[in-house]
Amino acid sequence: MEESERFLFTKEELAERIQVSPVVEADLKQIITDRMEQCGLYFRVFSRVKTATSMARKFEQKEYGGERRIQDLVGVRINLYFDDDVEICRHIMEQTFEVVDWSTSERNEDEFKPIKLNGVFRLPEYLKDEISADTWEMGIDDTFEVQIKTMFFEGWHEIEHDMRYKGEELWVNYSGFSRYLNSILATLELCDKSMVTLFEDLGHTLYKDGRWSDMIKSHFRLKMSDTSLYPEVQELLDSDSENGNKLAKKLYKTKRIVLIDQLLKRSRRVPINVNTIIALLNDEVLHDSRLTTIFRKHDVYNDGREESLAESRHYELRPLTRQTVFQMCTEVDGSRMRGMEKALPTENSARTGASENPPLTDPDMAAVAAEDIFSACVEQIYGWIVKKYGPLFKDMPPQPTTYHADILAYHVAVNLDTQRKRMNMHVRHMDPDVGGRIWYSEASLVMKDARKVYLSVSNGYAEAKRDDRPEREGAGIFFSYPGYYKLIVDGIGIFNSIPCSNRRRIIREDGLPALEEAIQDPNRKFPIVMIMSKEDSDGMMDEDWLGAFRVSDFTRTVWRYAHVLTCYEEVGKKLLAHLRQTPAYASENFAAFDRDIPRMYIFWPGGEVDDFGPEDVENCSFGRHLEARSDARTYDIVRGGQAFYHKIVTDLRDWNVSADMWEGFQLEIMTEIPG
């Protein structure tokens, strides 16, 4: 592979651009745990999210590029107690997730090594939305990996991996020690096989002795509650044994995978005991009417359900309070439907006025009809709802329409008026990992004056206030916009005082009137970040004062909720001089008149201005949050331009979640979470 084709990133770039919400790892682990427990297998589950350091090392050591990408951003390991459970676990995973690939270590007669099964699966769409969009541009596939192996091999695998696989030099010219290790591994493999054989032989002996309950426990080897066989079933199996033992023999001859399939097919988890096992196998294999009558009388699938602690405990109910993690009110202008975005401008082309520089004004505003923009937005919003909630609500129509549905803590409400060109929607679901937390998303779409389409979005969660958590802690951790907002911004285009662009824009003098108008627009919801730099000896923009800030990367990070613009010193000073003549900014002491540019200004909606210079960049220090797992958090202290980058991104996000931007809407039925 050519060096130019490879993915190579620094750990700083990876840590900055790849953001994985804790809910991704937690949900995958919980889904797998629930499925394994539903089937009664003996197992342990472990998980991790790959660190930036680990990813950077993997890019260096292996050739990733083109279609070959890292597939284990999130990894789950399942340790099993029985060797034959490996294939059963594979079957369960195939029934749960979309399979991309399977691989396994090969057994041969000359070598013993860890026997494990690796599966690569597609991330569920709703969890993919919880990962930063930049991730998929960083050589990362939208997949996760599951490793399946037995406890015996897991017990020594880490040592073998470090001391043999990574430390091959230890064994050179010492074949005797290597052979000794192989004999130990062979013993462990024999232990795996022997455990299965032991219980199979025991089950056969118990079958011959007529001990039906014990036979079932030994043969199927599942986690079962200590429940006695119904006397009627015991009597039926005993009497049947006098006539050829047909029922008991069929039970013993039934393979474990048949029972696992029956447990998987149940719409809800059933208690696993000797009675439910026989009832499930009777439904699938035995088809004995006498057993059917007995189990119907006992209501077998509910008999044995224990009242959980959650069912018996009394909880103090507290009102839910909302925490916004993203909001926006903006015009949708259809600019990306018209293909306005062109190639990234060079600095020289922008300097000389070439047309490639993304414009601040849209001379062709009427090129796409408002009705078409409205319809395209409806398709994106409703399509997102169907993809995320459709598996829960089987009767949800695939085409946009008014639709209301509830299943316990899951809720979807869509009000669509195609005549008046209005759409409201509210969806919510419980957090599968954090009890008492409910996630919601709201959107309002309306076409006004038959000319313009406006979108309002609110994303967040609600939970009872806890004494041990700061009121706004969650906003900074969970900042994220919903998937449909991204689809609309990227594929349709929005206008928030000026068009939204993911490429850096260099403002020339002829663009100042439009920029000044945008800065003073009272309806603007995007902060405007204005970077003013000097011209170097080659006539290019000198941005050395920003250090590792990287304006283009910064633009791609914040462009869906902030405008990023750059200009040369001459244009920057004219802009500040013009603004000082306006009532809103007359009192501002713009530093450029006292100290030379370079400077950075943030023009916040509402009229406030932040001012930063080279000294602010150089002296900046920032505790970058790398990961959070339960109560364990990791921070990386960075300084200079990189720290300044994180500080500005955090400031923009904090403003977004705290602004009094949108208070939601009232649907025809009560659906919103009280504020």
Side-chain angles (χ1 to χ4, degrees), residues 228-459:
S228 299
L229 196 62
Y230 294 148
E232 305 98 303
V233 176
Q234 178 75 44
E235 182 180 344
L236 178 60
L237 292 175
D238 287 342
S239 63
D240 185 69
S241 66
E242 300 173 2
N243 301 312
N245 232 7
K246 294 180 180 178
L247 284 177
K249 186 174 184 179
K250 285 183 179 179
L251 285 172
Y252 176 69
K253 290 292 185 180
T254 301
K255 296 185 180 298
R256 297 173 72 228
I257 189 62
V258 176
L259 175 59
I260 297 297
D261 263 338
Q262 287 302 296
L263 289 166
L264 281 174
K265 290 176 183 177
R266 306 298 297 185
S267 58
R268 67 176 177 84
R269 188 182 302 180
V270 300
I272 301 177
N273 55 54
V274 290
N275 294 309
T276 54
I277 286 175
I278 297 176
L280 288 166
L281 295 180
N282 186 55
D283 291 342
E284 179 67 14
V285 179
L286 305 178
H287 306 298
D288 189 284
S289 59
R290 297 166 296 175
L291 287 174
T292 302
T293 301
I294 293 170
F295 292 134
R296 185 180 296 120
K297 181 182 71 172
H298 284 277
D299 191 13
V300 63
Y301 296 126
N302 286 313
D303 186 22
R305 286 188 70 238
E306 297 181 1
E307 181 183 56
S308 68
L309 183 62
E311 291 173 323
S312 60
R313 183 185 296 160
H314 170 71
Y315 291 95
E316 177 189 355
L317 298 180
R318 301 179 183 180
L320 299 178
T321 57
R322 294 169 69 134
Q323 297 285 351
T324 301
V325 299
F326 178 78
Q327 56 183 333
M328 185 51 62
C329 297
T330 188
E331 179 187 348
V332 186
D333 66 349
S335 55
R336 290 180 172 253
M337 296 172 67
R338 297 193 300 276
M340 273 184 52
E341 293 289 319
K342 299 181 176 65
L344 178 67
T346 64
E347 199 165 299
N348 281 333
S349 68
R351 183 74 166 145
T352 57
S355 60
E356 288 86 354
N357 197 34
L360 291 187
T361 58
D362 183 357
D364 195 20
M365 187 65 75
V368 178
E371 291 88 346
D372 294 335
I373 296 173
F374 177 85
S375 297
C377 291
V378 169
E379 290 284 349
Q380 295 290 15
I381 296 171
Y382 192 84
W384 176 85
I385 295 173
V386 170
K387 183 177 290 187
K388 189 177 183 74
Y389 293 91
L392 294 172
F393 301 101
K394 302 298 184 183
D395 64 336
M396 185 183 296
Q399 300 303 320
T401 186
T402 294
Y403 177 81
H404 298 162
D406 288 276
I407 299 178
L408 298 177
Y410 300 95
H411 172 80
V412 170
V414 179
N415 287 352
L416 176 60
D417 187 338
T418 56
Q419 297 298 320
R420 299 169 60 199
K421 296 295 186 291
R422 294 177 180 274
M423 179 186 191
N424 289 333
M425 81 83 168
H426 176 106
V427 295
R428 64 174 178 261
H429 63 270
M430 63 182 178
D431 189 311
D433 190 52
V434 181
R437 178 178 292 166
I438 297 176
W439 289 92
Y440 69 88
S441 187
E442 297 176 341
S444 174
L445 185 70
V446 59
M447 189 176 81
K448 297 182 179 179
D449 304 325
R451 294 186 303 107
K452 294 185 178 181
V453 177
Y454 293 93
L455 171 70
S456 297
V457 174
S458 180
N459 220 38

Side-chain angles (χ1 to χ4, degrees), residues 516-559:
E516 293 169 18
E517 182 179 351
I519 290 175
Q520 299 177 72
D521 184 354
N523 296 315
R524 172 170 58 90
K525 304 301 181 185
F526 271 42
I528 295 177
V529 181
M530 191 71 209
I531 301 170
M532 305 176 182
S533 296
K534 289 179 176 293
E535 178 180 305
D536 64 18
S537 58
D538 296 322
M540 308 293 283
M541 192 171 288
D542 183 1
E543 293 179 347
D544 289 345
W545 67 283
L546 287 169
F549 186 83
R550 298 187 305 280
V551 177
S552 293
D553 286 347
F554 173 72
T555 302
R556 287 191 293 269
T557 298
V558 305
W559 74 286

Side-chain angles (χ1 to χ4, degrees), residues 155-205:
W156 59 267
H157 169 63
E158 185 174 351
I159 298 298
E160 194 273 347
H161 184 265
D162 289 347
M163 301 294 289
R164 193 181 203 184
Y165 175 71
K166 288 186 176 180
E168 293 181 358
E169 69 280 356
L170 294 177
W171 310 91
V172 176
N173 300 323
Y174 296 99
S175 59
F177 288 101
S178 182
R179 190 161 52 249
Y180 190 5
L181 177 59
N182 279 341
S183 69
I184 295 173
L185 306 187
T187 302
L188 292 174
E189 183 174 331
L190 181 62
C191 288
D192 263 335
K193 297 295 185 184
S194 298
M195 288 293 287
V196 175
T197 302
L198 168 66
F199 281 100
E200 283 298 325
D201 290 347
L202 176 60
H204 185 252
T205 301

